[in-house]
Amino acid sequence: MACGRPVVASAVGGNDLVVFPGVNGYLHREDDPRELADQVITLMERPDLREDMGRNSAKLVRERFNWDAITRYYLDRY
């Protein structure tokens, strides 16, 4: 994400906290390799979508996943 790339990840663990389907990438069911392949193929065939999602990934890192934002998050909770 920090390199400005879209993400394709399985919908497990905390991936849904950083990957927002259609915004900065896709989430696929962990037991569905066809869905994974379809999402990757979509990004390969759509450079406009790939670039938009990549920009959104980089923006999310800058705004939400930097040390200042993470520190604020934990200070607010504790």
Side-chain angles (χ1 to χ4, degrees):
M1 288 176 54
C3 293
R5 299 291 184 256
V7 178
V8 177
S10 55
V12 298
N15 288 340
D16 62 341
L17 299 174
V18 296
V19 179
F20 304 98
V23 176
N24 70 322
Y26 295 114
L27 292 171
H28 63 85
R29 290 179 295 277
E30 67 177 306
D31 60 345
D32 193 342
R34 185 70 209 164
E35 186 178 27
L36 166 62
D38 288 344
Q39 291 169 347
V40 171
I41 289 168
T42 296
L43 290 172
M44 290 172 59
E45 293 177 341
R46 302 256 330 264
D48 58 323
L49 180 64
R50 188 172 62 239
E51 291 171 13
D52 287 344
M53 286 184 173
R55 276 191 294 276
N56 290 337
S57 283
K59 182 178 178 188
L60 281 165
V61 169
R62 283 191 312 273
E63 294 176 357
R64 294 181 60 186
F65 304 117
N66 62 65
W67 284 116
D68 288 335
I70 292 167
T71 300
R72 279 192 306 278
Y73 173 85
Y74 282 105
L75 288 174
D76 289 347
R77 271 127 191 100
Y78 295 103

